[in-house]
Amino acid sequence: MNSDQIKTGPSRAPARAMLRATGLSDADIAKPLVAVVHTWSDISPCNLTLRELAGQVREGVRAAGGTPVEFNTIAVTDGIAMGSEGMRASLPSREVIADSIELAVSGHCLDAVVAIVGCDKTIPAAAMALARLDLPGLILYGGSIQPGVCHARKITVQEVFEAVGAHAAGRIDEAELDRIERSACPGAGACGGQFTANTMAMVLTTLGLSPMGLNDIPATDPEKRAAAFRCGELAMAALGANRRPRAVLSREAIDNAAVAVAATAGSTNAVLHLLAIAHEAGIDYPLERFEAASRTPVIADLKPGGRFTAVELHAAGGTAKVLEELRAAGKLHDTPTMTGESLFAAIDAARTAHATRAGAAADDAAAVVPGFKAPLKPHGGYSVLYGNLAPEGCICKLPAGRRQFEGPARVFDSEEAAFAAVQARRIRAGDVVVIRFEGPAGGPGMREMLAVTAALVGQGLGNEVALITDGRFSGATHGFMVGHISPEAARGGPLARLREGDPVRIDIDARRLETPANLEAREPICIEPRVRHGALAKYARLVASASRGAITSG
């Protein structure tokens, strides 16, 4: 066992003495030591149940013959931080979480890992850590929040952000804004649409790092506790069989995950995170490879662009239902998983289990996942564009119907400046809002622009303006949006040479983001670093381009 390094032989007497001080017996110490690491916090609903789930994982590990060792790491909750200075910490927290899991597990020479995660960055961070450690183990997502209800309509936090814009536009009054705010989040769980958390939970299942179906169970569903217990058992089984993450992760597995994201119109953040996971697993996976996956039709009607939440997807058959449709269309590779089944065998088992228990009626399931017989869009939820404004590439979040957009640049050097202009009603139909110096290094932290994009939607401009940025978008964002523009303005990218009023053209069919302005003839705009010390300054020095996943590990 890996843990023999700290517990076997006369020289390890001091370590054994300390382990006994925690309450472990000789028999406990002799067993495999399994890390149960989670991102519990009580500042947000996303991570609220994770400590309880950790207790169930511990029991599962013990039942299967192991000794659990529990750790906690941080979380930064995007829904709370959004639109504030705190949002700069969100993407850097992914690196800190991955680093802390790696260091805690490797520093104690543990034998296996179960990571329990909740909000957006905690999920890819756990996958990055498992890829680095390459120890037997798996990841459990704490689950989605139940939808709220307002005026007999199911809503999520997405509607709250959009209500802010509607209030600023005078379309709703303060009482209605308050009503929506108080209705949207009824309890524990991560944001309920196919936003970043639920997108990445599906990604981890598709990659084979999470057991099929267990991530889909909502946070407050009584079945979640049994799922956590099962994860403890499965981690021990993976240890017994010496199944390791790098044997599961492959280009084909990442292809599968990218297809699942496209097919559910999931968060464009998945591109950033999959690039980072691939890097940590030692897989060469260029940004351009996502374009082939993005041509998959949208076959699930999920928020933010659709009607249903993750809870309703779970009732309709969950991730396995989506993957079953993709497999039937020849869109998936059969890849290994950490549970020992192949991906296709796991899909079959989950679909059989769903069919034998009470659930959504067949017509309800067909409404949530209409499949390839009635796709909602012929093209997936994103596309990779290039051009003189994005030489290294960028990610376009595809709107419904429209394929081109051209208009004058409305240039802002921060998210706050853009949001103030939107709230003051200074943005008009036909404008291209440009938010620069918000990239990984320039932000620093590559903030999400949900406050701006949701305000535009709330004002009725969602399909009438475009927005381009070297920052990124929340999974709750929808409309004609282009993010991850690389290289970023702070590192001399073309956005630093763009000026107010310059024509900007977005052409999805040609896969171009361009301006006819003579950028080369101009000096780039420069701004002073926003942060000069501490974790964010260190991140700004180390972080790579968004086109490489904004990694910091070399």
Side-chain angles (χ1 to χ4, degrees):
M1 289 184 288
N2 193 45
S3 60
D4 286 342
Q5 298 178 71
I6 62 165
K7 66 187 187 183
T8 301
S11 67
R12 304 315 305 160
R16 289 193 298 272
M18 296 190 75
L19 290 171
R20 286 194 184 90
T22 70
L24 296 185
S25 67
D26 287 355
D28 294 329
I29 295 169
K31 295 173 183 176
L33 301 183
V34 179
V36 178
V37 58
H38 54 81
T39 59
W40 174 84
S41 166
D42 66 0
I43 198 171
S44 77
C46 315
N47 305 285
L48 198 58
T49 62
L50 303 190
R51 192 162 58 178
E52 179 186 7
L53 293 179
Q56 295 301 307
V57 171
R58 289 172 66 99
E59 291 305 311
V61 169
R62 287 193 187 98
T67 296
V69 180
E70 187 173 340
F71 299 94
N72 184 214
T73 184
I74 68 164
V76 174
T77 304
D78 291 10
I80 292 174
M82 197 74 66
S84 74
E85 285 291 320
M87 192 63 199
R88 300 192 195 285
S90 173
L91 188 58
S93 79
R94 185 190 72 180
E95 310 304 299
V96 173
I97 296 162
D99 290 351
S100 65
I101 295 173
E102 176 195 0
L103 292 173
V105 173
S106 63
H108 295 93
C109 302
L110 302 178
D111 299 301
V113 186
V114 179
I116 314 168
V117 293
C119 56
D120 296 6
K121 306 308 169 294
T122 68
I123 306 170
M128 292 162 65
L130 257 66
R132 290 182 195 173
L133 291 162
D134 201 29
L135 288 173
L138 44 83
I139 304 168
L140 176 66
Y141 170 53
S144 175
I145 195 172
Q146 295 285 338
V149 179
C150 188
H151 302 303
R153 183 170 70 99
K154 292 180 179 179
I155 65 170
T156 69
V157 74
Q158 171 190 342
E159 282 76 11
V160 186
F161 279 100
E162 292 174 3
V164 171
H167 177 260
R171 298 170 68 188
I172 62 172
D173 61 19
E174 193 161 339
E176 178 64 6
L177 175 60
D178 182 71
R179 188 176 297 112
I180 294 169
E181 172 191 333
R182 293 179 184 278
S183 303
C185 299
C191 299
Q194 192 69 341
F195 311 150
T196 303
N198 285 315
T199 297
M200 290 308 300
M202 181 177 286
V203 161
L204 292 198
T205 300
T206 308
L207 289 174
L209 297 179
S210 294
M212 185 68 65
L214 300 193
N215 285 354
D216 298 333
I217 301 169
T220 56
D221 190 316
E223 291 185 9
K224 201 72 181 189
R225 290 168 59 87
F229 184 93
R230 181 65 179 143
C231 281
E233 294 180 314
L234 289 170
M236 287 298 296
L239 176 61
N242 197 30
R243 287 192 291 271
R244 296 174 181 260
R246 288 198 175 201
V248 166
L249 295 170
S250 64
R251 295 185 87 183
E252 290 74 21
I254 296 173
D255 286 343
N256 287 345
V259 165
V261 173
T264 56
S267 170
T268 51
N269 283 318
V271 174
L272 197 72
H273 298 324
L274 281 166
L275 288 169
I277 294 167
H279 169 78
E280 301 297 356
I283 299 166
D284 179 22
Y285 203 93
L287 177 64
E288 176 61 19
R289 195 171 173 99
F290 286 93
E291 182 61 26
S294 77
R295 298 181 185 278
T296 307
V298 176
I299 61 169
D301 193 3
L302 302 173
K303 288 177 176 289
R307 296 177 292 165
F308 297 104
T309 66
V311 173
E312 291 157 306
L313 176 61
H314 171 58
T319 297
K321 171 64 175 172
V322 173
L323 298 184
E324 181 183 51
E325 294 283 342
L326 292 170
R327 177 180 62 177
K331 298 288 186 180
L332 294 182
H333 307 277
D334 194 13
T335 51
T337 74
M338 287 303 300
T339 61
E341 303 171 291
S342 74
L343 181 65
F344 288 1
I347 293 168
D348 290 338
R351 295 297 293 145
T352 299
H354 177 74
T356 59
R357 68 175 185 264
D363 56 344
D364 292 336
V368 180
V369 187
F372 285 88
K373 293 180 181 178
L376 289 108
K377 296 179 185 177
H379 193 292
Y382 63 88
S383 188
V384 181
L385 311 183
Y386 301 90
N388 67 345
L389 289 175
E392 292 180 4
C394 60
I395 305 296
C396 179
K397 191 153 192 171
L398 301 182
R402 197 163 185 176
R403 307 293 293 177
Q404 288 86 30
F405 196 105
E406 186 167 3
R410 303 296 309 280
V411 181
F412 302 95
D413 290 345
S414 69
E415 179 189 10
E416 288 85 355
F419 184 71
V422 173
Q423 292 295 81
R425 309 299 302 279
R426 298 205 306 270
I427 303 301
R428 300 286 182 262
D431 287 345
V432 177
V433 177
V434 179
I435 305 178
R436 63 188 179 186
F437 298 106
E438 290 287 4
M446 203 179 183
R447 291 190 291 178
E448 294 178 348
M449 303 293 117
L450 179 59
V452 176
T453 61
L456 290 169
V457 170
Q459 292 181 14
L461 292 171
N463 293 318
E464 304 301 323
V465 301
L467 188 149
I468 70 172
T469 180
D470 51 10
R472 57 196 176 92
F473 299 119
S474 163
T477 292
H478 58 110
F480 217 130
M481 309 293 171
V482 181
H484 306 205
I485 293 174
S486 301
E488 61 177 290
R491 289 185 170 165
L495 285 189
R497 300 172 189 268
L498 202 63
R499 301 291 186 266
E500 183 81 8
D502 283 346
V504 173
R505 180 173 176 80
I506 308 165
D507 189 326
I508 293 170
D509 294 325
R511 299 179 55 208
R512 305 296 291 174
L513 174 66
E514 297 178 316
T515 178
N518 186 1
L519 300 178
E520 295 300 321
R522 298 173 178 170
E523 289 296 316
I525 298 294
C526 297
I527 66 169
E528 289 296 312
R530 293 186 172 114
V531 180
R532 293 184 179 275
H533 67 279
L536 290 178
K538 180 169 66 175
Y539 178 83
R541 290 193 299 271
L542 294 175
V543 69
S545 167
S547 65
R548 295 183 57 213
I551 54 171
T552 59
S553 59

